[in-house]
Amino acid sequence: MPKLSSHHPKIIAGLSIFVLLAAYLTYVILSRPVIGIDVKLTPQGGVTVTSVAAGSWSEHKIHPGDTVLKANGEDPLLLETIRKYNSIENVDSLVIQHTEPGGNPVTSSLEVEPGLSAHELIFRLVIPGISLLLLFGFSVYVYRKKRNDRAALQLILFFLSIGLSYFSSTPSGMADKVGRVCLGTSFAVVPVFFVHFMQAYLQRFKEPFLSRAVLNVMYVCAGLVSVLMILDVALTRRIHPLETQTLLIFFVAANFLIVYKLISGFRQHRAGELHTLFKFALTAHAVAFSPFLLFNALPGLFGVTFISAEMTAIFVYAIPVVYFYLFVTHRLFDIDFLLNRLFYYTALSLVPALLILGVMGLLIHQNPYGWIVWVQIFLAVYLMITLFLFFKELMDYRLRPYFMKDLQDFQGSIDRFSKRISKVMKRSDLEQFLEREIGLVLAVRTVSFLEITRGSEQGQASVTSDGRADPRIEQDLEQAVNGLAAGEMTRMYQGICLVIGNYGPSRHILWLDDKTNYTSFNYAEKNWLKTLAHYSSIIYENLYLVAGLIENLEGEIKNRNALAPPWVLRLIFTLSENERRRLASDLHDAALQDQLIWYRKLESLMLDYPMEPGLLVQLDQIKEGLLDVIHQIRQTCNELRPPLLMEMGIVEALKQLIQQEQIRSDYTVELQTEPDTIEMDDVQILAVYRIVQELLRNADKHAKASHIILSLESHSGRLYFYYKDNGKGLDLKELKDSFGHMGISGIQERVRSLDGEIKFASAPDQGFEVRLVLPLTAGIQEGGYDDDSYITG
């Protein structure tokens, strides 16, 4: 992989050019306002105003149909922007002639005031500037995290090209030469850099996006567009609008190609592991470029625009934000969740938007608005209704309890029930919690639990009841719930029956009598009951699995002559680690927090009230004692459950462990790792960490070692671990019979639980050596924290 030093000069050069361009474009934006006048040349050689840009300097001062007599005190035909682009920019003064309603021509002289209005400052400098800084920050962060990743480097170029094209749009509209070249070049390479990024990113999945030849053609086309932009500003001959149309055609064609390839990849991997990734990319790309393509670029080819480029440019930031989120969190958005709501709300918004548009048309039909204005009104109304429906969901969650106090708190009930069932150890506990929760929310007369067991013969079933259900219910259940899955509901002649568990031939049924107010169960209540049933079905299944597991364990324990299989050992160590984690959490959330509260109260008491010197000394000693206890609790929590162990990886975790142990001990540790990062799953990381922790503790307490060598190597799908100290050693025969070395026995059991091999070498006064080999292939296939399985899972 390339090192940072090899890229350093290129990075400095590119950064310098980027900063200089940003500084120059900022100066252009601040130095003069946007004039915003489009003109046409008359057959008589005159210059007539055709349109005035909204928010520009000339708005409300100059109107379509006015004649430009002079620009900067000279013939307007001498102005370069008129000759090249049929627009007026970069002028200090104008002489305009317009015709009054009576037909009399009136001439007025206008001086262009320097400075920007508040509107121009916000929309032409502040928002594009913040966007540029944000994308630059994204680029710096991605470079620091993934500097040797080719896909990350292409993503950085993609970020910067988007930011630069947006920031240079105003100077380009002002006919600034550097601004036009910057906009044309950066805008042309946006889709090319995106394709290059996808090509590099998908290589890790051995999935081609586009061929290298097509990518090279795209780079050549982008280069030709850049050349046209340079020729446009360098030559005196008029090229416009050829360069703009070429840029738009290339941009539209490139994005259609990208969308086509994303759709092809999505369809190709519809049932594969890359399905989510292609759907994620396709959605982000569609959200980013669809508004610009549909409402600006494509209509622009026919001389009209529905939404300004500045407004549609905001949507382009969907891609950098989405892919920055991907690189930072290693996750994908829940696309289905968002899309389902988006389609639902846009469908709901369509009819209201058309109705509002129709009403507005009836109210203001006398005004001569063009069809483009009506399209703009429709888009604005449609967007507002869609956004309102999005926010309505949030308002429903936050405001409905205040305005509809008679509604039950179903979400609170589900949260409460899910916390309670985590403590369930037997079936009776689950049924007790379920009955209590239903009684808190619904006013039902009776609740009963029944179990239906299907016999070996078809149609034969037996019903077991707790005696609270109506006997007729028991008879009807034999046929009613046959074939129903967990969570399904059946209406009985009295009340309802809900399947809350389904395992093997047995079905667990909850019968609810009618409500005390004689009303039927409404839609919300039924959904809530089904949710509780799904939670309960999981617990029922787990209880059955635990019962079977206990039977297997009892069988293994009875077979004392055979060694416990690795899966039993893994289970034991997993349970042990879970207890460690639970104990660490309890210590941190209860004992440690209480100690901190009492420490702060004591400190506040000592500061706020006058005390005798002797008492103050004693209280200060108590305060120091509390600090020691707080430190010990924190240290114990870290030993029980090392913080960020899985996030750091085994190498960094061992470095931190060694640093902590050396503070408390006198030995030195030499750690050697090859490679620098070793891919291991969570179970293997925790096992190696615990083994090293036990060996270091043994070296301090028993071996009295002064120097330790630790080595970790990973190759050929295996981890090779080596430990050696210069302690007093021991007789290896003692390992077989003595209980004084339970730590060493625990290490052996951990290694055997992972199908590994371990060997010890030691003798009195000869130190202690450990050689360990662990297979890593299985762990890597299961997916870890540093692979890309999170993308496609």
Side-chain angles (χ1 to χ4, degrees):
M1 289 186 179
K3 297 182 178 179
L4 177 60
S5 58
S6 63
H7 287 299
H8 191 67
K10 297 179 181 179
I11 293 172
I12 296 297
L15 183 62
S16 301
I17 295 174
F18 184 85
V19 172
L20 289 175
L21 274 176
Y24 174 80
L25 296 174
T26 303
Y27 166 77
V28 172
I29 295 172
L30 291 173
S31 62
R32 52 185 181 269
V34 175
I35 304 300
I37 300 176
D38 289 333
V39 299
K40 68 176 180 179
L41 303 181
T42 64
Q44 296 77 19
V47 178
T48 303
V49 176
T50 58
S51 64
V52 176
S56 64
W57 170 86
S58 58
E59 187 180 22
H60 308 305
K61 297 183 180 72
I62 302 173
H63 304 86
D66 292 351
T67 302
V68 182
L69 300 179
K70 291 184 179 297
N72 291 333
E74 299 177 344
D75 186 350
L77 294 177
L78 299 177
L79 192 65
E80 184 180 19
T81 58
I82 292 181
R83 298 197 312 269
K84 281 190 174 183
Y85 311 119
N86 286 340
S87 66
I88 298 179
E89 294 291 345
N90 305 327
V91 295
D92 298 322
S93 64
L94 290 172
V95 177
I96 303 296
Q97 184 182 79
H98 66 276
T99 304
E100 291 184 342
N104 298 321
V106 177
T107 303
S108 58
S109 298
L110 301 175
E111 297 291 330
V112 179
E113 304 88 2
L116 302 178
S117 65
H119 180 274
E120 289 177 312
L121 186 65
I122 293 174
F123 287 94
R124 291 173 181 161
L125 180 62
V126 175
I127 294 179
I130 292 175
S131 302
L132 184 65
L133 291 176
L134 182 64
L135 290 173
F136 182 77
F138 285 0
S139 303
V140 172
Y141 189 93
V142 171
Y143 179 78
R144 291 180 59 187
K145 294 295 183 181
K146 302 278 188 178
R147 63 168 55 95
N148 292 324
D149 189 341
R150 292 180 56 194
L153 295 178
Q154 293 300 323
L155 185 62
I156 290 172
L157 294 175
F158 178 65
F159 285 172
L160 297 180
S161 61
I162 291 179
L164 202 57
S165 62
Y166 188 26
F167 193 69
S168 61
S169 60
T170 295
S172 175
M174 298 165 65
D176 180 83
K177 295 183 178 181
V178 175
R180 286 187 63 81
V181 173
C182 185
L183 174 64
T185 303
S186 59
F187 198 68
V189 296
V190 164
V192 184
F193 285 153
F194 179 82
V195 169
H196 203 162
F197 159 72
M198 291 296 294
Q199 184 78 5
Y201 186 80
L202 292 175
Q203 282 183 357
R204 66 192 66 187
F205 305 106
K206 302 186 185 318
E207 176 70 21
F209 188 67
L210 284 174
S211 65
R212 186 67 188 181
V214 175
L215 182 60
N216 291 335
V217 169
M218 294 183 69
Y219 270 110
V220 171
C221 292
L224 292 176
V225 171
S226 301
V227 170
L228 280 177
M229 299 300 296
I230 295 173
L231 292 175
D232 175 65
V233 301
L235 299 178
T236 57
R237 294 186 59 187
R238 177 172 178 173
I239 297 180
H240 184 79
L242 175 62
E243 87 289 358
T244 303
Q245 292 175 345
T246 304
L247 175 62
L248 289 176
I249 291 173
F250 171 73
F251 187 85
V252 172
N255 278 281
F256 270 119
L257 177 61
I258 291 171
V259 172
Y260 169 76
K261 291 302 296 182
L262 290 176
I263 294 175
S264 299
F266 172 76
R267 297 184 63 181
Q268 180 181 354
H269 298 278
R270 183 173 297 175
E273 60 179 6
L274 293 180
H275 169 79
T276 304
L277 176 60
F278 273 103
K279 190 172 185 179
F280 179 82
L282 181 60
T283 303
H285 202 85
V287 171
F289 293 111
S290 293
F292 176 79
L293 293 173
L294 296 176
F295 304 121
N296 189 281
L298 288 177
L301 297 176
F302 303 96
V304 295
T305 55
F306 297 131
I307 301 178
S308 65
E310 291 82 2
M311 295 299 296
T312 58
I314 297 175
F315 292 90
V316 176
Y317 286 90
I319 288 183
V321 170
V322 161
Y323 282 97
F324 177 72
Y325 176 86
L326 171 63
F327 269 82
V328 170
T329 64
H330 304 295
R331 297 180 179 91
L332 298 173
F333 292 140
D334 192 347
I335 296 298
D336 292 328
F337 178 85
L338 295 177
L339 290 181
N340 289 338
R341 277 153 178 77
L342 177 63
F343 295 150
Y344 172 71
Y345 291 136
T346 51
L348 288 180
S349 303
L350 181 60
V351 174
L354 292 174
L355 290 176
I356 292 174
L357 186 66
V359 172
M360 292 179 63
L362 293 176
L363 293 176
I364 56 176
H365 67 279
Q366 68 276 12
N367 294 321
Y369 290 131
W371 66 275
I372 295 179
V373 176
W374 289 110
V375 173
Q376 293 173 339
I377 294 174
F378 169 77
L379 292 174
V381 172
Y382 193 55
L383 178 61
M384 286 190 295
I385 294 178
T386 303
L387 292 176
F388 167 77
L389 292 176
F390 262 102
F391 285 109
K392 175 185 175 295
E393 188 172 3
L394 177 62
M395 290 188 292
D396 283 345
Y397 177 77
R398 294 186 177 275
L399 301 180
R400 181 175 290 187
Y402 296 99
F403 292 96
M404 303 180 183
K405 298 183 183 296
D406 55 329
L407 293 178
Q408 298 93 337
D409 184 12
F410 293 121
Q411 185 60 48
S413 171
I414 293 172
D415 294 340
R416 184 170 57 246
F417 181 73
S418 62
K419 293 178 181 177
R420 287 179 176 175
I421 60 176
S422 63
K423 304 176 182 179
V424 168
M425 299 300 295
K426 52 186 179 180
R427 173 180 159 184
S428 59
D429 293 337
L430 173 61
E431 294 175 352
Q432 182 181 0
F433 286 145
L434 189 57
E435 182 176 354
R436 183 184 305 172
E437 194 62 43
I438 292 175
L440 290 174
V441 177
L442 296 181
V444 295
R445 294 191 180 92
T446 308
V447 174
S448 179
F449 294 92
L450 306 95
E451 180 179 358
I452 299 179
T453 304
R454 295 191 297 273
S456 56
E457 297 182 6
Q458 188 175 4
Q460 183 181 3
S462 61
V463 179
T464 304
S465 172
D466 58 5
R468 291 183 288 178
D470 190 289
R472 183 176 169 183
I473 298 295
E474 299 181 19
Q475 299 174 4
D476 294 342
L477 276 178
E478 296 181 3
Q479 302 297 328
V481 299
N482 198 17
L484 292 181
E488 296 193 46
M489 188 178 296
T490 302
R491 178 69 187 176
M492 311 300 289
Y493 85 97
Q494 180 179 345
I496 58 174
C497 282
L498 185 65
V499 182
I500 58 175
N502 188 5
Y503 191 84
S506 299
R507 276 187 172 81
H508 297 277
I509 309 297
L510 169 66
W511 174 70
L512 299 177
D513 200 352
D514 292 331
K515 292 191 291 184
T516 55
N517 59 2
Y518 300 98
T519 59
S520 60
F521 293 90
N522 58 46
Y523 177 80
E525 291 168 346
K526 290 180 180 179
N527 283 340
W528 170 72
L529 288 171
K530 289 180 180 180
T531 303
L532 295 185
H534 286 299
Y535 275 97
S536 301
S537 67
I538 296 174
I539 301 301
Y540 273 114
E541 185 173 358
N542 288 341
L543 291 176
Y544 279 111
L545 292 175
V546 170
L549 179 61
I550 291 175
E551 291 181 1
N552 293 336
L553 287 175
E554 290 176 349
E556 295 291 344
I557 292 173
K558 291 178 181 179
N559 189 10
R560 297 184 178 181
N561 295 327
L563 293 174
W567 70 268
V568 175
L569 297 176
R570 283 196 296 272
L571 175 62
I572 293 173
F573 284 120
T574 300
L575 295 174
S576 174
E577 292 296 338
N578 288 340
E579 288 300 320
R580 286 171 178 259
R581 182 172 62 251
R582 187 178 294 109
L583 179 58
S585 177
D586 292 341
L587 284 173
H588 182 273
D589 296 340
L592 179 59
Q593 301 305 318
D594 290 342
Q595 293 289 336
L596 288 171
I597 291 173
W598 288 112
Y599 174 80
R600 294 190 183 100
K601 287 183 177 180
L602 178 60
E603 190 176 42
S604 177
L605 185 67
M606 295 173 63
L607 293 174
D608 295 342
Y609 296 96
M611 298 182 183
E612 298 179 359
L615 178 60
L616 194 61
V617 171
Q618 293 181 10
L619 290 178
D620 193 63
Q621 292 176 353
I622 296 175
K623 189 177 75 170
E624 294 298 325
L626 283 174
L627 279 177
D628 291 340
V629 173
I630 290 171
H631 175 72
Q632 291 173 5
I633 294 176
R634 282 176 172 163
Q635 185 175 351
T636 302
C637 290
N638 291 339
E639 290 179 355
L640 288 171
R641 185 63 177 175
L644 301 177
L645 175 61
M646 307 310 171
E647 289 80 359
M648 290 187 299
I650 187 60
V651 176
E652 292 298 325
L654 291 183
K655 289 180 181 179
Q656 190 176 84
L657 173 63
I658 291 169
Q659 184 180 4
Q660 294 172 353
E661 293 295 332
Q662 285 181 327
I663 294 175
R664 299 191 291 263
S665 308
D666 295 330
Y667 53 69
T668 60
V669 181
E670 179 183 347
L671 177 64
Q672 303 170 358
T673 60
E674 178 64 32
D676 294 335
T677 58
I678 300 176
E679 299 289 341
M680 303 171 63
D681 65 21
D682 298 350
V683 176
Q684 294 165 341
I685 290 175
L686 189 56
V688 173
Y689 184 88
R690 293 299 187 198
I691 290 172
V692 174
Q693 193 177 41
E694 182 63 34
L695 290 173
L696 294 179
R697 188 178 293 114
N698 181 74
D700 180 42
K701 293 183 178 180
H702 304 292
K704 305 299 180 183
S706 61
H707 184 70
I708 298 172
I709 298 176
L710 277 174
S711 172
L712 276 83
E713 295 183 5
S714 172
H715 54 81
S716 302
R718 291 177 174 270
L719 174 72
Y720 296 88
F721 173 87
Y722 175 72
Y723 168 90
K724 178 177 176 57
D725 65 41
N726 61 352
K728 59 185 182 181
L730 66 134
D731 189 352
L732 290 179
K733 295 180 180 179
E734 298 178 5
L735 291 176
K736 298 180 180 180
D737 304 317
S738 175
F739 284 95
H741 301 287
M742 290 302 292
I744 303 300
S745 300
I747 291 175
Q748 289 178 310
E749 296 301 311
R750 277 192 183 273
V751 174
R752 198 159 63 83
S753 72
L754 298 176
D755 297 320
E757 301 174 1
I758 189 169
K759 294 181 180 179
F760 301 102
S762 182
D765 299 322
Q766 297 296 320
F768 187 68
E769 291 186 28
V770 180
R771 296 182 184 273
L772 164 64
V773 180
L774 282 180
L776 297 180
T777 304
I780 295 173
Q781 289 175 348
E782 292 171 2
Y785 273 70
D786 293 327
D787 63 8
D788 290 317
S789 61
Y790 55 82
I791 294 176
T792 57

PDB file of all heavy atoms in Angstrom, residues 515-532:
ATOM      1  N   LYS A 515     -64.328  -7.139  26.675  1.00  0.00           N
ATOM      2  CA  LYS A 515     -64.017  -6.018  27.557  1.00  0.00           C
ATOM      3  C   LYS A 515     -65.222  -5.668  28.426  1.00  0.00           C
ATOM      4  O   LYS A 515     -66.370  -5.940  28.062  1.00  0.00           O
ATOM      5  CB  LYS A 515     -63.584  -4.810  26.715  1.00  0.00           C
ATOM      6  CG  LYS A 515     -62.250  -5.017  26.009  1.00  0.00           C
ATOM      7  CD  LYS A 515     -61.728  -3.733  25.400  1.00  0.00           C
ATOM      8  CE  LYS A 515     -62.567  -3.299  24.241  1.00  0.00           C
ATOM      9  NZ  LYS A 515     -62.007  -2.093  23.574  1.00  0.00           N
ATOM     10  N   THR A 516     -64.926  -5.046  29.548  1.00  0.00           N
ATOM     11  CA  THR A 516     -66.002  -4.737  30.498  1.00  0.00           C
ATOM     12  C   THR A 516     -66.975  -3.697  29.969  1.00  0.00           C
ATOM     13  O   THR A 516     -68.109  -3.638  30.421  1.00  0.00           O
ATOM     14  CB  THR A 516     -65.388  -4.233  31.812  1.00  0.00           C
ATOM     15  OG1 THR A 516     -64.535  -3.114  31.534  1.00  0.00           O
ATOM     16  CG2 THR A 516     -64.573  -5.325  32.491  1.00  0.00           C
ATOM     17  N   ASN A 517     -66.546  -2.887  29.019  1.00  0.00           N
ATOM     18  CA  ASN A 517     -67.457  -1.876  28.464  1.00  0.00           C
ATOM     19  C   ASN A 517     -68.188  -2.380  27.230  1.00  0.00           C
ATOM     20  O   ASN A 517     -68.818  -1.599  26.509  1.00  0.00           O
ATOM     21  CB  ASN A 517     -66.693  -0.592  28.144  1.00  0.00           C
ATOM     22  CG  ASN A 517     -65.568  -0.833  27.132  1.00  0.00           C
ATOM     23  OD1 ASN A 517     -65.371  -1.944  26.627  1.00  0.00           O
ATOM     24  ND2 ASN A 517     -64.827   0.227  26.837  1.00  0.00           N
ATOM     25  N   TYR A 518     -68.063  -3.675  26.935  1.00  0.00           N
ATOM     26  CA  TYR A 518     -68.795  -4.327  25.850  1.00  0.00           C
ATOM     27  C   TYR A 518     -68.405  -3.814  24.457  1.00  0.00           C
ATOM     28  O   TYR A 518     -69.113  -4.049  23.488  1.00  0.00           O
ATOM     29  CB  TYR A 518     -70.321  -4.185  26.031  1.00  0.00           C
ATOM     30  CG  TYR A 518     -70.832  -4.780  27.306  1.00  0.00           C
ATOM     31  CD1 TYR A 518     -71.073  -3.977  28.425  1.00  0.00           C
ATOM     32  CD2 TYR A 518     -71.068  -6.147  27.397  1.00  0.00           C
ATOM     33  CE1 TYR A 518     -71.532  -4.527  29.617  1.00  0.00           C
ATOM     34  CE2 TYR A 518     -71.525  -6.703  28.582  1.00  0.00           C
ATOM     35  CZ  TYR A 518     -71.747  -5.890  29.695  1.00  0.00           C
ATOM     36  OH  TYR A 518     -72.188  -6.449  30.871  1.00  0.00           O
ATOM     37  N   THR A 519     -67.315  -3.134  24.360  1.00  0.00           N
ATOM     38  CA  THR A 519     -66.850  -2.690  23.044  1.00  0.00           C
ATOM     39  C   THR A 519     -65.907  -3.730  22.463  1.00  0.00           C
ATOM     40  O   THR A 519     -65.240  -4.478  23.188  1.00  0.00           O
ATOM     41  CB  THR A 519     -66.132  -1.335  23.149  1.00  0.00           C
ATOM     42  OG1 THR A 519     -65.016  -1.459  24.037  1.00  0.00           O
ATOM     43  CG2 THR A 519     -67.075  -0.265  23.670  1.00  0.00           C
ATOM     44  N   SER A 520     -65.834  -3.770  21.143  1.00  0.00           N
ATOM     45  CA  SER A 520     -64.938  -4.728  20.488  1.00  0.00           C
ATOM     46  C   SER A 520     -63.501  -4.220  20.522  1.00  0.00           C
ATOM     47  O   SER A 520     -63.246  -3.029  20.747  1.00  0.00           O
ATOM     48  CB  SER A 520     -65.380  -4.947  19.039  1.00  0.00           C
ATOM     49  OG  SER A 520     -65.338  -3.719  18.337  1.00  0.00           O
ATOM     50  N   PHE A 521     -62.560  -5.104  20.297  1.00  0.00           N
ATOM     51  CA  PHE A 521     -61.151  -4.724  20.263  1.00  0.00           C
ATOM     52  C   PHE A 521     -60.875  -3.920  18.985  1.00  0.00           C
ATOM     53  O   PHE A 521     -61.159  -4.388  17.886  1.00  0.00           O
ATOM     54  CB  PHE A 521     -60.263  -5.974  20.293  1.00  0.00           C
ATOM     55  CG  PHE A 521     -60.353  -6.724  21.594  1.00  0.00           C
ATOM     56  CD1 PHE A 521     -61.297  -7.722  21.766  1.00  0.00           C
ATOM     57  CD2 PHE A 521     -59.503  -6.433  22.633  1.00  0.00           C
ATOM     58  CE1 PHE A 521     -61.378  -8.425  22.953  1.00  0.00           C
ATOM     59  CE2 PHE A 521     -59.584  -7.122  23.821  1.00  0.00           C
ATOM     60  CZ  PHE A 521     -60.532  -8.120  23.999  1.00  0.00           C
ATOM     61  N   ASN A 522     -60.320  -2.716  19.171  1.00  0.00           N
ATOM     62  CA  ASN A 522     -60.072  -1.882  18.001  1.00  0.00           C
ATOM     63  C   ASN A 522     -58.751  -2.249  17.338  1.00  0.00           C
ATOM     64  O   ASN A 522     -58.008  -3.116  17.796  1.00  0.00           O
ATOM     65  CB  ASN A 522     -60.113  -0.393  18.372  1.00  0.00           C
ATOM     66  CG  ASN A 522     -59.094  -0.036  19.440  1.00  0.00           C
ATOM     67  OD1 ASN A 522     -57.937  -0.447  19.357  1.00  0.00           O
ATOM     68  ND2 ASN A 522     -59.521   0.734  20.440  1.00  0.00           N
ATOM     69  N   TYR A 523     -58.466  -1.540  16.250  1.00  0.00           N
ATOM     70  CA  TYR A 523     -57.285  -1.846  15.422  1.00  0.00           C
ATOM     71  C   TYR A 523     -55.990  -1.677  16.218  1.00  0.00           C
ATOM     72  O   TYR A 523     -55.094  -2.520  16.155  1.00  0.00           O
ATOM     73  CB  TYR A 523     -57.292  -0.925  14.202  1.00  0.00           C
ATOM     74  CG  TYR A 523     -56.098  -1.072  13.296  1.00  0.00           C
ATOM     75  CD1 TYR A 523     -56.019  -2.106  12.381  1.00  0.00           C
ATOM     76  CD2 TYR A 523     -55.041  -0.170  13.352  1.00  0.00           C
ATOM     77  CE1 TYR A 523     -54.933  -2.254  11.553  1.00  0.00           C
ATOM     78  CE2 TYR A 523     -53.940  -0.307  12.527  1.00  0.00           C
ATOM     79  CZ  TYR A 523     -53.886  -1.351  11.637  1.00  0.00           C
ATOM     80  OH  TYR A 523     -52.794  -1.492  10.822  1.00  0.00           O
ATOM     81  N   ALA A 524     -55.872  -0.591  16.977  1.00  0.00           N
ATOM     82  CA  ALA A 524     -54.651  -0.350  17.747  1.00  0.00           C
ATOM     83  C   ALA A 524     -54.457  -1.410  18.828  1.00  0.00           C
ATOM     84  O   ALA A 524     -53.328  -1.866  19.071  1.00  0.00           O
ATOM     85  CB  ALA A 524     -54.694   1.045  18.368  1.00  0.00           C
ATOM     86  N   GLU A 525     -55.525  -1.795  19.485  1.00  0.00           N
ATOM     87  CA  GLU A 525     -55.434  -2.813  20.535  1.00  0.00           C
ATOM     88  C   GLU A 525     -55.014  -4.167  19.967  1.00  0.00           C
ATOM     89  O   GLU A 525     -54.203  -4.882  20.566  1.00  0.00           O
ATOM     90  CB  GLU A 525     -56.779  -2.927  21.252  1.00  0.00           C
ATOM     91  CG  GLU A 525     -57.123  -1.689  22.083  1.00  0.00           C
ATOM     92  CD  GLU A 525     -58.561  -1.684  22.545  1.00  0.00           C
ATOM     93  OE1 GLU A 525     -59.349  -2.494  22.008  1.00  0.00           O
ATOM     94  OE2 GLU A 525     -58.911  -0.877  23.429  1.00  0.00           O
ATOM     95  N   LYS A 526     -55.541  -4.509  18.793  1.00  0.00           N
ATOM     96  CA  LYS A 526     -55.165  -5.781  18.171  1.00  0.00           C
ATOM     97  C   LYS A 526     -53.684  -5.787  17.779  1.00  0.00           C
ATOM     98  O   LYS A 526     -52.984  -6.786  17.982  1.00  0.00           O
ATOM     99  CB  LYS A 526     -56.044  -6.045  16.950  1.00  0.00           C
ATOM    100  CG  LYS A 526     -57.495  -6.366  17.289  1.00  0.00           C
ATOM    101  CD  LYS A 526     -58.315  -6.614  16.027  1.00  0.00           C
ATOM    102  CE  LYS A 526     -59.757  -6.943  16.368  1.00  0.00           C
ATOM    103  NZ  LYS A 526     -60.584  -7.171  15.145  1.00  0.00           N
ATOM    104  N   ASN A 527     -53.211  -4.678  17.214  1.00  0.00           N
ATOM    105  CA  ASN A 527     -51.786  -4.602  16.862  1.00  0.00           C
ATOM    106  C   ASN A 527     -50.900  -4.710  18.094  1.00  0.00           C
ATOM    107  O   ASN A 527     -49.843  -5.342  18.067  1.00  0.00           O
ATOM    108  CB  ASN A 527     -51.490  -3.292  16.129  1.00  0.00           C
ATOM    109  CG  ASN A 527     -51.938  -3.334  14.678  1.00  0.00           C
ATOM    110  OD1 ASN A 527     -52.131  -4.409  14.112  1.00  0.00           O
ATOM    111  ND2 ASN A 527     -52.113  -2.172  14.075  1.00  0.00           N
ATOM    112  N   TRP A 528     -51.307  -4.061  19.178  1.00  0.00           N
ATOM    113  CA  TRP A 528     -50.543  -4.135  20.423  1.00  0.00           C
ATOM    114  C   TRP A 528     -50.505  -5.565  20.954  1.00  0.00           C
ATOM    115  O   TRP A 528     -49.446  -6.059  21.372  1.00  0.00           O
ATOM    116  CB  TRP A 528     -51.178  -3.192  21.440  1.00  0.00           C
ATOM    117  CG  TRP A 528     -50.649  -3.343  22.833  1.00  0.00           C
ATOM    118  CD1 TRP A 528     -49.427  -2.978  23.303  1.00  0.00           C
ATOM    119  CD2 TRP A 528     -51.352  -3.916  23.940  1.00  0.00           C
ATOM    120  NE1 TRP A 528     -49.315  -3.279  24.638  1.00  0.00           N
ATOM    121  CE2 TRP A 528     -50.490  -3.855  25.063  1.00  0.00           C
ATOM    122  CE3 TRP A 528     -52.625  -4.455  24.100  1.00  0.00           C
ATOM    123  CZ2 TRP A 528     -50.855  -4.328  26.316  1.00  0.00           C
ATOM    124  CZ3 TRP A 528     -52.996  -4.924  25.357  1.00  0.00           C
ATOM    125  CH2 TRP A 528     -52.123  -4.861  26.443  1.00  0.00           C
ATOM    126  N   LEU A 529     -51.644  -6.255  20.928  1.00  0.00           N
ATOM    127  CA  LEU A 529     -51.686  -7.639  21.396  1.00  0.00           C
ATOM    128  C   LEU A 529     -50.816  -8.549  20.527  1.00  0.00           C
ATOM    129  O   LEU A 529     -50.135  -9.450  21.031  1.00  0.00           O
ATOM    130  CB  LEU A 529     -53.129  -8.143  21.401  1.00  0.00           C
ATOM    131  CG  LEU A 529     -54.044  -7.570  22.498  1.00  0.00           C
ATOM    132  CD1 LEU A 529     -55.482  -7.987  22.247  1.00  0.00           C
ATOM    133  CD2 LEU A 529     -53.581  -8.048  23.876  1.00  0.00           C
ATOM    134  N   LYS A 530     -50.826  -8.315  19.218  1.00  0.00           N
ATOM    135  CA  LYS A 530     -49.987  -9.127  18.335  1.00  0.00           C
ATOM    136  C   LYS A 530     -48.508  -8.902  18.625  1.00  0.00           C
ATOM    137  O   LYS A 530     -47.700  -9.846  18.580  1.00  0.00           O
ATOM    138  CB  LYS A 530     -50.297  -8.787  16.875  1.00  0.00           C
ATOM    139  CG  LYS A 530     -51.655  -9.272  16.395  1.00  0.00           C
ATOM    140  CD  LYS A 530     -51.900  -8.899  14.943  1.00  0.00           C
ATOM    141  CE  LYS A 530     -53.260  -9.379  14.475  1.00  0.00           C
ATOM    142  NZ  LYS A 530     -53.523  -9.026  13.059  1.00  0.00           N
ATOM    143  N   THR A 531     -48.138  -7.665  18.944  1.00  0.00           N
ATOM    144  CA  THR A 531     -46.736  -7.392  19.284  1.00  0.00           C
ATOM    145  C   THR A 531     -46.337  -8.128  20.553  1.00  0.00           C
ATOM    146  O   THR A 531     -45.257  -8.736  20.624  1.00  0.00           O
ATOM    147  CB  THR A 531     -46.528  -5.876  19.458  1.00  0.00           C
ATOM    148  OG1 THR A 531     -46.916  -5.200  18.267  1.00  0.00           O
ATOM    149  CG2 THR A 531     -45.073  -5.567  19.759  1.00  0.00           C
ATOM    150  N   LEU A 532     -47.188  -8.091  21.569  1.00  0.00           N
ATOM    151  CA  LEU A 532     -46.903  -8.840  22.798  1.00  0.00           C
ATOM    152  C   LEU A 532     -46.798 -10.335  22.512  1.00  0.00           C
ATOM    153  O   LEU A 532     -45.965 -11.036  23.109  1.00  0.00           O
ATOM    154  CB  LEU A 532     -48.000  -8.580  23.830  1.00  0.00           C
ATOM    155  CG  LEU A 532     -48.136  -7.156  24.379  1.00  0.00           C
ATOM    156  CD1 LEU A 532     -49.190  -7.127  25.484  1.00  0.00           C
ATOM    157  CD2 LEU A 532     -46.809  -6.639  24.916  1.00  0.00           C
TER     158      LEU A 532
END
